[in-house]
Amino acid sequence: KYDMVAEVRGMGLLVGVELCAPKRLMQKLSGTLLEKKGLLSHIIMMHLMSENRIITVPSREKNTLKIQPPLIMNDADVDHILKGVEEALSAAYRFPDGISQILIERVMKNFGILSDT
C-alpha cells in the first residue's frame, strides 16, 4: 500500500520494517534526504510515540523501524500497533509533504508553539 515500505522481515513478534524514500515528488525530496542520513525510520518512530504512545527503538540498520512488543501482548495490543503504524505511514503521505509536516509539527509542539492535544 505504501511504496515507502521497502521490506518487512522478522521472526515471531520481532518485526523490522525497512523504509525508503517515497516515490511521490514532494515526499521524495524530504524522504531522500532523510533516507541518506538514516533518519527515515525516526520520523515514523516520532509519530508513533507522540500520536499513539507506541515506543519503538532504532535499529542498527539505517531506516529500519524495529518493533519489539512484549510477549504478554493480546489481540487488542497487536491491533493498536498495526493501527498506529498505518496512521504513521499515512501521515507521511499527506499532501503536499507529510514527512516534513510531521517534523514541523513535532518541533512546534516541543517549543510550545502548537498544543500537544
Side-chain angles (χ1 to χ4, degrees):
K1 183 174 180 180
Y2 300 103
D3 62 356
M4 191 172 164
V5 178
E7 184 180 359
V8 178
R9 56 187 174 272
M11 184 181 292
L13 290 175
L14 303 176
V15 178
V17 181
E18 186 177 341
L19 302 173
C20 63
K23 306 298 184 254
R24 288 178 49 192
L25 178 63
M26 294 305 286
Q27 282 89 1
K28 187 173 185 172
L29 298 174
S30 59
T32 301
L33 174 67
L34 292 170
E35 181 181 21
K36 286 180 182 177
K37 298 287 185 184
L39 298 173
L40 201 51
S41 62
H42 289 72
I43 301 304
I44 303 301
M45 288 170 45
M46 283 188 334
H47 192 277
L48 285 171
M49 179 58 198
S50 66
E51 301 299 323
N52 302 95
R53 302 298 185 238
I54 297 171
I55 299 172
T56 57
V57 294
S59 174
R60 288 185 304 197
E61 296 180 34
K62 293 183 177 182
N63 299 313
T64 300
L65 179 66
K66 186 164 60 169
I67 302 171
Q68 296 176 303
L71 294 174
I72 58 170
M73 286 185 58
N74 58 33
D75 290 341
D77 295 331
V78 173
D79 290 340
H80 177 70
I81 291 173
L82 291 174
K83 181 181 173 210
V85 171
E86 170 77 24
E87 286 176 6
L89 290 171
S90 178
Y93 278 83
R94 284 184 297 199
F95 182 81
D97 183 5
I99 295 171
S100 296
Q101 288 176 353
I102 292 171
L103 280 172
I104 292 168
E105 287 172 6
R106 186 74 282 170
V107 168
M108 290 175 70
K109 286 178 182 177
N110 285 345
F111 285 105
I113 299 168
L114 186 64
S115 173
D116 204 14
T117 57

